[in-house]
Amino acid sequence: MTLSVPTPRHFIDLWRMDAASLRTILDDAHARKAARLGWGKAAVDADAPAKDRTLAMIFEKNSTRTRFSFDAAIRQLGGASIIANASDMQLGRGEPIEDTARVLSRMVDAVMIRANNHDDVERFAQVATVPVINALTNRSHPCQILADLQTFEEHRGPVAGKTIAWVGDGNNVCSSFIHAASQFGFRLTIACPPQYHPDLKDLARAADLGAKVEMTADPRAAVEGADCVVTDTWVSMGDTDHDQRLAAFEPYQVDEALMALAAREALFLHCLPAHRGEEVTDAVIDGPQSKIFDEAENRIHAQKAVLAWCFGAIG
Ligand code: CP
Ligand code: NVA
């Protein structure tokens, strides 16, 4: 007799997920946030979908928001966490990823990974028998985009049909916005220097899926009439061409003049950490259109919904 093992619900990239599941996750994030208004930060949600469950968190790169928000998230769901920097694990001494995945699958109920190489997360997930969550790689940052969309929707209503403008580097965060455009039905306009364009495979897939994703080198054209303006650091973790980047991105700073071209009610978002005076001015990031701290807080709520989905509690 062969026992069939159900495939775990991995959360690796938004383009791999079906739109209905993603909508369910985002709705759950909104509902969980609303349900605990006024509660203490350590109070456990009424349904406690992670009761008796442990989340492992592995970091190959630095993190503030992701580390604290996932730890807070699993606790608010009634579960526990184990956190490790990859360099402290045998992984850092060359133990195969697949062996690490098989071992941790015996010890915890889900694994969150922030990795240098996206392919390592894919390899981990291929053999893991518990859900694996991408907490940022060189190629994508799906958890961040859920928090961003939650932030947009709580201030401006459904994101479907709206326009989000991305200004700056066509990096990992930009890629996840491209993945989200088809799934959530918003228009994405990207302004980047030609040499720092997003992954062409992501753009081609988005086009195949019928997403409205446009690219230009002109930040003013991208921002024109947009409902939300988003940027990110010009030098991501792992980038080595610091000086060339600063020179190439200089015309892409989000300042008040650029924001003035967006819709009157446009929001400003940034995943953080920010470099004030580089990709964004103080006046914009600390101004009335900026919702960056709601966005940071929403990492908790959005990731709770992701965890609830991974554990089969929703969707
Ligand atoms: N935005 C984000 O992922 O922040 P951290 O690098 O601090 O986790
Ligand atoms: N693009 C940035 C995001 C940090 C949260 C990086 O990868 O460093």
Side-chain angles (χ1 to χ4, degrees):
M1 189 179 76
T2 19
L3 288 175
S4 71
V5 181
T7 312
R9 283 183 160 184
H10 300 309
F11 186 81
I12 294 181
D13 269 322
L14 301 175
W15 66 267
R16 295 249 189 98
M17 311 264 306
D18 66 87
S21 299
L22 285 172
R23 189 65 250 176
T24 299
I25 291 171
L26 195 50
D27 288 345
D28 189 65
H30 285 302
R32 283 187 192 280
K33 183 174 184 179
R36 56 181 299 119
L37 266 182
W39 291 16
K41 292 186 175 71
V44 175
D45 286 5
D47 60 341
K51 185 175 180 297
D52 301 330
R53 296 189 201 249
T54 301
L55 171 71
M57 300 164 57
I58 303 173
F59 289 92
E60 277 187 352
K61 305 192 195 207
N62 295 49
S63 170
T64 297
R65 280 143 289 270
T66 305
R67 183 178 287 244
F68 283 81
S69 61
F70 262 108
D71 202 358
I74 192 75
R75 290 164 193 244
Q76 289 185 7
L77 294 177
S81 64
I82 301 174
I83 308 179
N85 293 328
S87 56
D88 297 329
M89 298 169 61
Q90 297 293 6
L91 202 52
R93 294 181 58 245
E95 181 169 15
I97 287 178
E98 287 80 2
D99 285 353
T100 308
R102 290 185 182 104
V103 169
L104 292 191
S105 293
R106 302 286 184 103
M107 298 179 174
V108 301
D109 301 285
V111 182
M112 182 236 81
I113 311 176
R114 171 165 284 198
N116 291 317
N117 296 311
H118 189 86
D119 291 345
D120 289 345
V121 177
E122 301 272 7
R123 281 171 59 197
F124 195 106
Q126 221 140 44
V127 299
T129 56
V130 297
V132 174
I133 298 169
N134 171 3
L136 181 146
T137 69
N138 56 325
R139 294 226 300 265
S140 55
H141 196 4
C143 295
Q144 180 67 54
I145 274 50
L146 283 184
D148 292 9
L149 297 182
Q150 179 173 7
T151 308
F152 182 85
E153 291 197 338
E154 70 192 7
H155 289 281
R156 294 288 179 267
V159 72
K162 296 291 200 318
T163 297
I164 296 179
W166 175 272
V167 180
D169 190 11
N171 64 14
N172 45 4
V173 180
C174 178
S175 278
S176 286
F177 266 111
I178 296 171
H179 301 162
S182 57
Q183 312 298 62
F184 287 97
F186 60 85
R187 174 171 168 253
L188 179 67
T189 55
I190 300 167
C192 58
Q195 66 272 40
Y196 293 112
H197 61 74
D199 188 326
L200 297 179
K201 282 203 296 292
D202 287 325
L203 291 171
R205 189 188 306 105
D208 284 350
L209 292 170
K212 290 184 185 151
V213 177
E214 295 148 38
M215 199 167 70
T216 171
D218 179 1
R220 285 170 307 234
V223 161
E224 182 84 52
D227 301 293
C228 183
V229 177
V230 194
T231 190
D232 186 13
T233 179
W234 292 340
V235 185
S236 283
M237 293 181 278
D239 287 337
T240 49
D241 52 345
H242 179 272
D243 293 351
Q244 291 96 307
R245 283 177 167 272
L246 257 50
F249 286 114
E250 200 255 321
Y252 293 82
Q253 184 184 66
V254 178
D255 59 15
E256 285 174 299
L258 193 65
M259 284 302 292
L261 300 175
R264 204 167 50 85
E265 299 279 290
L267 301 183
F268 172 78
L269 297 179
H270 188 310
C271 65
L272 304 180
H275 299 75
R276 287 167 163 81
E278 291 185 11
E279 72 270 14
V280 61
T281 59
D282 287 330
V284 170
I285 198 165
D286 298 323
Q289 289 167 287
S290 175
K291 300 294 172 211
I292 56 165
F293 297 114
D294 289 345
E295 181 184 7
E297 177 191 329
N298 284 339
R299 294 293 302 280
I300 299 181
H301 308 294
Q303 286 153 199
K304 284 169 68 182
V306 169
L307 287 162
W309 177 81
C310 288
F311 293 143
I314 59 168

